[in-house]
Amino acid sequence: MKSFLNPKWIFIVNTLPVMILFCIAYGDYQVINSLLDEEHITLWKYFSTSLLLLTIINFIYAIYTSLNKKKVSVWYSIFMLCSSITFLYIYFTKSDELIPWGIPRWMFSGNIMTYIGTFLMPTLVYSLLQIVIKYTPKSQQLKAWINLLVSIAIPLSIYFFTLIIGPLWRLGSNPLGIHTVIILLVGATLIFLFFLTRCIYILVINKKETWVRYAIIWKIPVTVIMPLIGLHLNNNEFHHIFGDFSNLWFYILAAFNGIILCLPNKPKKWYRLSLFMGRVISFTYTLYFFVVFLPFLPFSIAAIIVFGAGFLMLTPLVLFVIHTNQLWEDFKYLGPYYSKNILIGSIVVGSLLIPSYLSVTYYNDRETLHQVLDYVYIPNYDKTYTIDTSSVSNTLSIIANSKESSRGIFNSQQPYLSSYFNWLVLDNLTLSDQKINDLQRIFLDKSKTKTQKNQIRNHGVNITKIDTQSKYDKQQKVWRSWVNLEITNKNESLKEYATTIDLPQGTWVSDYYLFVNGVKEPGILAEKKSAQWVFSSIRNQNRDPGILYYLTGNKVAFRVFPFLANEIRQTGIQLIHKEPISLRIDGHELDLGKLSKTPIKSIETKEGLYISPKAKSTLKKVKRKPFFHFLVDGSSKKHLPKYKNLSKKILSEYPNWNTQAKFTIIDHQIRDVSLNDDWKAINIQGGFFLERGIKKALFENYKEEVNTYPVIVALTENMNKAIFLDEDLADWQFTFPDLNNFYSLNTKGEICKHSLINNPLVHDTVALFKEGQKVLAHHHQKKTIAFLKNDNKPSLILNEKPKESKIEEVKNWESALNLQLKWQRQILYPSDDAWLKLVKESFKSRIMTPVTSYLVVENEAQKAALLKKQNEVLSGNKSLDLGEDTLKMSEPELWIILLLLGLMVRFKSRRF
Amino acid sequence: MLPKINPIHYVLLAIIFVSMKFLYTQLTVNDLTFIIGPVRLIITLFTKAQSTFLHNQGYYFSELKIIIDRSCSGFTLWIISFLSMSLLCIKHTITTKARLVGFGIAISLSYLFTILANSSRILTLILLQDLAKIKWIHEGTGVIINLTFLIVTYMLLDITLTKKQHS
């Protein structure tokens, strides 16, 4: 025990934990920095400087004493104890100012409050132990039970004091009184812990025979019963206050740990080695709870007084001491029988067993999650996926549980383990409730109600004045039109203005402004998700943002917030368009640009073609042949035979449409079948993912460029159970020029018509299936043919093999066209790379695309928050200004070199 | 006389190592010009290709279509080479004073070593042309060159210092 007086311990108990704490705190500070006021930032600086100063003092002292071969002085321990307590005390009183309540807690990597306790507690425990060792000389025959009695007497006296004398003093009525009470409580806790530690220390150094002989009597309650009761109380009576330890494994490990510590130490070397291995394996469990409960050590006395059962909080500490001591005893016993290498190897392997098992399990969860996310959100429509739904179920339930609101003191389900899970499985990001809901519906058929999406509603906030200015850019041969709006809130309360604008094909948003406090603030083009994140967080604080972003297809959402009672605000949008357009904003019809004498026909770019209404009028009209594509609801297996008969009946009623009829059974997967197959033999899992079925059907038909088109019929009993992730399929319009609706049919024979370009779950009951309209055939690139919608609006055609295009100029119409075509290609062939490229090119061209958004924010902090979020979204990728084929000369990872060097050194030392 | 095993020196090294690694996480490419600047000069000398420094991005060689940015600064190699040279210093010195001086020499020597090794690595990758775009070849070449440099330098220094001690 005297080895604790060695100053090297200071590096382990103080320098190292504080360095880790600094790294965590620095990371968190970087995230919340822009949301802090000057005053809070100063406070952060004071605290970090003080902690750094204390650590440097400790470090210098440790170096000095080590070099001079001195032991740690008791005065130094007292200084370390007092300074750390003072720091913690001031920290907790000022914690509200350090981390104001306005900052969302999810922005932190964990609960910073408990982390500070965790990382400073080793210093406190070490200092206390030093003092105990100093004031417990071995020469004197001290009695452990006296110390135990004193430590028990302390909480009891405080209890009686608060019950009888305390109310007369009324200390808690003023701030000074509260501080006095806290300081007295801290002092009492220190004395309590001093005597308790002294009691344990005396027991350890004296090793009284009676204690050793009857060890089983005190070991069973301390190592088996108390941990199990503690777990039970935390999980049931105290609602996971210290974390969610309700998993059966916590109980199994607690029992195993207790039993293995209680087993007698018989003098048989194989038995003892097995015991040692078992104790090493379960030591990580003891260590985990020791670390978790370390910050609560000072509160143990208060917990004992208030709850009585608070003494259970000391169990991890006592268990840790017993376990460590036991391991040391085993090690000493086994020393003469086995080589040091075998014993150290056993320690390394054994202690890594539980963490490795946990890591492998988490890694599997990660693989499953990534596979599932790829399948749902960036699918390859050509690929057939096989996903193990049982694994998905397990992973999703873990993620969903980790987001539950009741989170106890640690702000996470399982202290430290949840952070590890978030890091390994979720890359420190989170999965939105919407996505969890979607995945549960798709893979587990859990019919939860769809979460409410942002509603575009407007009550009493209207456009009161519109002014337009269209200017023809002769150089680029495009129109640039400003639409300036004056919007008035006619209500007597705070309101938001929100509307949608249907942009004609070939028209894009190229600029935006909003007046904030009389100053015209230009819009910032930002990545869409980041911009929406910033907008919603600012809206919650009633600041001044305005935002423009694409919904689906060419529909753009336009929102301004807030409008005070009767407030008038001014805002404007710049549009870039090739031809004159008619626009409708909130019921106001606008004509932008003038007709030229020489109308535009078609414009070819590297990505594809723009076909003007004039050019379309010259194209040949063709009537493509319809065929039935039945999408069968596979979520209910018992209905499958009925659906089979129903489809046969429909085919006989519409003989002209049945030649190429297709059948697809849909659960979470999409499986093409034929009428000859046994549909009941198919293994069904998950919900009716109809959106994927429709998209795959459209994708296949579009790709084939054939003279036929599918009439999609969903065979289902309950259309409301059909899963759609997007609001509608307006983005896919170019793939269904003939028919912009699909049908649903139930076993009663009721036919309903659903739109593909509006909410697909809304339906009209119809009597018959109807074929689509004629389309326009456009032959391009000599070989291929494209079918366009027969209307007087412009259309776009994708090149089969696009050439590499670069953004040369800002606000260029052709660049905008290329971006739009790239977006269309990305719809058919989604990928992270394509998305990232689109975001970057949108920034470069300053044209808003479906992946970006125009946003006005109020101040620099909000701009910084936006940029930070944006960098997170775009992180780790190539720079914007460089060509995409630029090669980075990255050096090898540090760990690879260190690992190889380590292996070489090991190999060399073995050979020689 | 056998070198003295003083754990504090190893702890000190570990702290320097962790601090350097932490420092690296905080540095942008603009702060790293002191280490990538000389590398860029050597590459220009050998390839005659000109480069431009792009703020927050690094040295861009448009002709070679390569960029020397933060990830190729060689800082990691600097950390490892400093560590190996310092361990050599502990092996061949006895007093604390000599070791502290040795650490100082190691940091400057490892800096020069890093520039040389990193330039060789980049020049080899340029020679490999399209092959360098394949991830494992890129990574593997880097590992082989860095390790070779580290081992050869370590052995040469070890032999030199041992000879000096004996003489």
Side-chain angles (χ1 to χ4, degrees), chain A residues 278-301:
Chain A
R279 285 166 180 168
V280 166
I281 291 168
S282 67
F283 184 67
T284 38
Y285 178 83
T286 305
L287 184 70
Y288 173 71
F289 277 98
F290 174 68
V291 173
V292 167
F293 279 85
L294 209 52
F296 304 113
L297 215 54
F299 305 108
S300 53
I301 195 164

Coordinates of all heavy atoms in Angstrom, one line a residue, chain A residues 278-301:
Chain A
G278 N -11.2 -16.3 -14.4 CA -12.6 -15.9 -14.2 C -12.6 -14.5 -13.6 O -13.4 -13.6 -14.0
R279 N -11.8 -14.3 -12.6 CA -11.7 -13.0 -11.9 C -11.2 -11.9 -12.8 O -11.7 -10.7 -12.7 CB -10.9 -13.1 -10.6 CG -11.6 -13.8 -9.5 CD -10.7 -14.2 -8.4 NE -11.5 -14.9 -7.4 CZ -10.9 -15.5 -6.4 NH1 -9.6 -15.6 -6.2 NH2 -11.7 -16.1 -5.5
V280 N -10.3 -12.2 -13.7 CA -9.7 -11.2 -14.6 C -10.8 -10.9 -15.6 O -11.0 -9.7 -15.9 CB -8.5 -11.8 -15.4 CG1 -8.2 -10.9 -16.6 CG2 -7.3 -11.8 -14.5
I281 N -11.6 -11.9 -16.1 CA -12.6 -11.6 -17.1 C -13.7 -10.7 -16.5 O -14.1 -9.7 -17.1 CB -13.3 -13.0 -17.6 CG1 -12.3 -13.8 -18.4 CG2 -14.6 -12.7 -18.4 CD1 -12.7 -15.2 -18.7
S282 N -14.1 -11.0 -15.3 CA -15.2 -10.2 -14.7 C -14.7 -8.8 -14.1 O -15.5 -8.0 -13.7 CB -15.9 -10.9 -13.6 OG -15.1 -11.2 -12.5
F283 N -13.3 -8.6 -14.1 CA -12.8 -7.4 -13.5 C -13.3 -6.2 -14.4 O -13.5 -5.1 -13.8 CB -11.3 -7.4 -13.5 CG -10.7 -6.2 -12.8 CD1 -10.9 -6.0 -11.5 CD2 -9.9 -5.3 -13.5 CE1 -10.4 -4.9 -10.9 CE2 -9.4 -4.2 -12.9 CZ -9.6 -4.0 -11.6
T284 N -13.4 -6.3 -15.7 CA -13.9 -5.2 -16.5 C -15.3 -4.8 -16.0 O -15.6 -3.6 -16.1 CB -14.0 -5.6 -18.0 OG1 -14.4 -6.9 -18.1 CG2 -12.6 -5.4 -18.7
Y285 N -16.1 -5.7 -15.6 CA -17.4 -5.4 -15.1 C -17.3 -4.6 -13.8 O -17.9 -3.5 -13.7 CB -18.2 -6.7 -14.8 CG -19.6 -6.6 -14.2 CD1 -20.6 -6.3 -15.1 CD2 -19.8 -6.7 -12.9 CE1 -21.9 -6.1 -14.6 CE2 -21.1 -6.5 -12.4 CZ -22.1 -6.2 -13.2 OH -23.4 -6.1 -12.7
T286 N -16.5 -5.0 -12.9 CA -16.2 -4.3 -11.6 C -15.7 -2.9 -11.9 O -16.2 -1.9 -11.4 CB -15.2 -5.0 -10.7 OG1 -15.7 -6.3 -10.5 CG2 -15.1 -4.4 -9.4
L287 N -14.7 -2.8 -12.8 CA -14.1 -1.6 -13.2 C -15.1 -0.6 -13.8 O -15.1 0.6 -13.5 CB -13.0 -1.8 -14.2 CG -12.1 -0.6 -14.6 CD1 -11.3 -0.1 -13.4 CD2 -11.2 -1.0 -15.7
Y288 N -16.0 -1.1 -14.7 CA -17.0 -0.3 -15.3 C -17.9 0.4 -14.3 O -18.1 1.6 -14.3 CB -17.9 -1.2 -16.2 CG -19.1 -0.4 -16.8 CD1 -18.9 0.6 -17.8 CD2 -20.3 -0.7 -16.4 CE1 -20.0 1.2 -18.3 CE2 -21.4 0.0 -16.9 CZ -21.2 0.9 -17.9 OH -22.3 1.6 -18.4
F289 N -18.4 -0.4 -13.3 CA -19.3 0.2 -12.3 C -18.5 1.1 -11.4 O -19.1 2.1 -10.9 CB -20.1 -0.9 -11.5 CG -21.3 -1.3 -12.3 CD1 -21.3 -2.4 -13.1 CD2 -22.4 -0.5 -12.3 CE1 -22.4 -2.8 -13.8 CE2 -23.5 -0.9 -13.1 CZ -23.5 -2.0 -13.8
F290 N -17.2 0.8 -11.1 CA -16.4 1.7 -10.3 C -16.3 3.1 -11.0 O -16.5 4.1 -10.3 CB -15.0 1.1 -10.1 CG -14.1 2.0 -9.4 CD1 -14.2 2.2 -8.0 CD2 -13.0 2.5 -10.0 CE1 -13.3 3.1 -7.4 CE2 -12.1 3.3 -9.4 CZ -12.2 3.6 -8.0
V291 N -16.0 3.1 -12.3 CA -15.9 4.4 -13.0 C -17.3 5.1 -13.1 O -17.3 6.3 -12.9 CB -15.4 4.1 -14.5 CG1 -15.4 5.4 -15.3 CG2 -13.9 3.6 -14.4
V292 N -18.3 4.3 -13.3 CA -19.7 4.9 -13.4 C -20.0 5.6 -12.1 O -20.6 6.7 -12.1 CB -20.7 3.9 -13.8 CG1 -22.1 4.4 -13.6 CG2 -20.5 3.4 -15.2
F293 N -19.7 5.0 -11.0 CA -20.1 5.5 -9.7 C -19.1 6.5 -9.0 O -19.4 7.1 -8.0 CB -20.5 4.4 -8.7 CG -21.9 3.8 -9.0 CD1 -22.1 2.9 -9.9 CD2 -23.0 4.3 -8.3 CE1 -23.4 2.4 -10.2 CE2 -24.2 3.9 -8.5 CZ -24.5 2.9 -9.5
L294 N -18.0 6.6 -9.6 CA -16.9 7.4 -9.1 C -17.4 8.9 -8.8 O -17.2 9.4 -7.8 CB -15.7 7.4 -10.0 CG -14.3 7.6 -9.3 CD1 -14.2 6.7 -8.1 CD2 -13.2 7.4 -10.3
P295 N -18.0 9.5 -9.8 CA -18.5 10.9 -9.6 C -19.5 11.0 -8.5 O -19.7 12.1 -8.0 CB -19.0 11.3 -11.0 CG -19.1 10.2 -11.8 CD -18.3 9.0 -11.2
F296 N -20.2 9.9 -8.1 CA -21.2 10.1 -7.1 C -20.7 9.8 -5.7 O -21.5 9.8 -4.8 CB -22.4 9.1 -7.5 CG -22.9 9.3 -8.9 CD1 -22.8 8.4 -9.8 CD2 -23.5 10.5 -9.2 CE1 -23.2 8.6 -11.1 CE2 -24.0 10.8 -10.4 CZ -23.8 9.8 -11.4
L297 N -19.5 9.5 -5.6 CA -18.9 9.2 -4.3 C -19.2 10.3 -3.3 O -19.7 10.0 -2.2 CB -17.4 9.0 -4.5 CG -16.7 7.9 -3.6 CD1 -17.4 6.6 -3.7 CD2 -15.3 7.8 -3.9
P298 N -19.0 11.6 -3.6 CA -19.3 12.6 -2.7 C -20.8 12.7 -2.3 O -21.1 13.2 -1.2 CB -18.9 13.9 -3.4 CG -18.0 13.5 -4.5 CD -18.5 12.1 -4.9
F299 N -21.6 12.2 -3.1 CA -23.1 12.3 -2.8 C -23.6 11.1 -2.0 O -24.7 11.0 -1.6 CB -23.9 12.4 -4.1 CG -23.5 13.5 -5.0 CD1 -22.8 13.2 -6.1 CD2 -23.7 14.8 -4.6 CE1 -22.4 14.3 -7.0 CE2 -23.3 15.8 -5.4 CZ -22.6 15.6 -6.6
S300 N -22.6 10.1 -1.7 CA -23.1 8.9 -1.0 C -23.7 9.2 0.3 O -24.7 8.6 0.7 CB -21.9 7.9 -0.9 OG -20.8 8.6 -0.3
I301 N -23.0 10.1 1.0 CA -23.5 10.4 2.4 C -25.0 11.0 2.3 O -25.8 10.7 3.1 CB -22.6 11.4 3.2 CG1 -22.9 11.3 4.6 CG2 -22.5 12.8 2.6 CD1 -21.8 11.8 5.5

